[in-house]
Amino acid sequence: MIRQSWWKILSFALLLYVSIMGFMVKVPVLDGRLQHTIRNLFFHVPMWVAMMVLFTISVVNAIKYLRYQKPLYDIYATEFALTGCIFSILGLTTGMIWANYQWGAAWSNDPKQNGAAIGILIYFAYFVVRGSLTDMDKRARISAVYNVFAFCMLFPTIWILPRLTESLHPGGQGSEGNPALNPDDSTPAMKMVMFPAFIGWTLLSIWIATLRVRLRIISEKHISNG
């Protein structure tokens, strides 16, 4: 039992460590720019990392479904995409809270904010497509194709276009540092919290997604047997 759940225990331990050390670790003053708001780094950025991992697993299963036509792959693709949307909302929300303190407004029409919102809306449309189709096989096939499209759209909307324009986020044109996480804004002590945060939140997101998969499988069996 422990051998099968070691990664869940690791997720709990890492997030407990992050939740404590995230508020205790010494952070740089940075000329008064970020101050203690930089602690949101341990929560905001890992949400996007977890989102990308979930969407990647989802699109891989979508491609598997298109190749093998097994319903289980469609279930995995759907539930991981749904959990990815949840973490994208958490990433956007924590970013808005940070922006409100740092930039004076929760939404500044920053290219990174707009691109993230567009990427999320494209994924929301994935579930609209699924809900509009009643034939199970047709729904699974069309959803799988759309899943691939939605995943590809993440790169220009979130990772490419915001870097080509003026942006309040580090990594955009006219800002210091590239990639998006400016190395000058972190310290070795912060990285000792940041990297466990990436792993911990990602493991938690996968844990949630796998629970949803198990619930969906049980529900499908109950319907088929009923």
Side-chain angles (χ1 to χ4, degrees):
M1 184 68 177
I2 296 179
R3 288 183 178 179
Q4 295 178 346
S5 303
W6 66 268
W7 61 277
K8 300 175 184 177
I9 298 173
L10 177 62
S11 172
F12 176 80
L14 289 174
L15 291 180
L16 180 62
Y17 167 77
V18 170
S19 298
I20 296 174
M21 292 304 299
F23 294 98
M24 295 180 62
V25 66
K26 186 177 180 180
V27 296
V29 177
L30 296 174
D31 300 325
R33 289 184 291 115
L34 295 175
Q35 299 187 31
H36 288 283
T37 65
I38 199 173
R39 297 183 189 277
N40 198 16
L41 181 70
F42 310 130
F43 305 95
H44 170 59
V45 180
M47 298 302 170
W48 295 116
V49 173
M51 178 200 74
M52 287 302 302
V53 171
L54 292 169
F55 284 158
T56 301
I57 296 174
S58 175
V59 75
V60 167
N61 279 277
I63 294 172
K64 285 184 176 181
Y65 178 81
L66 291 173
R67 182 175 182 181
Y68 301 109
Q69 303 292 306
K70 292 184 178 180
L72 182 61
Y73 292 134
D74 178 56
I75 293 175
Y76 268 90
T78 304
E79 298 306 327
F80 271 83
L82 178 59
T83 311
C85 286
I86 293 173
F87 273 79
S88 70
I89 294 173
L90 291 174
L92 200 62
T93 303
T94 52
M96 290 171 64
I97 294 172
W98 198 354
N100 189 51
Y101 283 95
Q102 185 63 27
W103 301 333
W107 198 269
S108 306
N109 285 322
D110 181 76
K112 193 83 169 183
Q113 288 180 320
N114 293 336
I118 292 171
I120 294 171
L121 288 174
I122 291 173
Y123 259 97
F124 280 174
Y126 167 79
F127 297 99
V128 175
V129 170
R130 290 189 65 87
S132 64
L133 300 170
T134 55
D135 184 272
M136 295 181 61
D137 293 334
K138 185 177 181 181
R139 178 175 61 192
R141 288 196 303 271
I142 294 177
S143 297
V145 173
Y146 186 91
N147 196 330
V148 176
F149 161 75
F151 183 79
C152 292
M153 288 302 298
L154 286 175
F155 294 92
T157 57
I158 296 180
W159 306 112
I160 299 176
L161 293 179
R163 294 172 181 269
L164 301 179
T165 58
E166 191 75 26
S167 175
L168 294 170
H169 279 80
Q173 294 294 322
S175 62
E176 295 291 335
N178 205 2
L181 178 59
N182 189 343
D184 295 333
D185 289 348
S186 61
T187 63
M190 289 181 61
K191 291 177 182 178
M192 292 296 292
V193 182
M194 183 175 61
F195 293 130
F198 290 165
I199 299 172
W201 287 113
T202 300
L203 290 178
L204 177 64
S205 69
I206 294 174
W207 189 357
I208 294 172
T210 53
L211 286 175
R212 292 194 57 85
V213 168
R214 290 172 60 186
L215 182 62
R216 175 79 178 278
I217 292 173
I218 293 173
S219 177
E220 294 286 342
K221 288 182 179 179
H222 179 74
I223 293 174
S224 61
N225 294 332

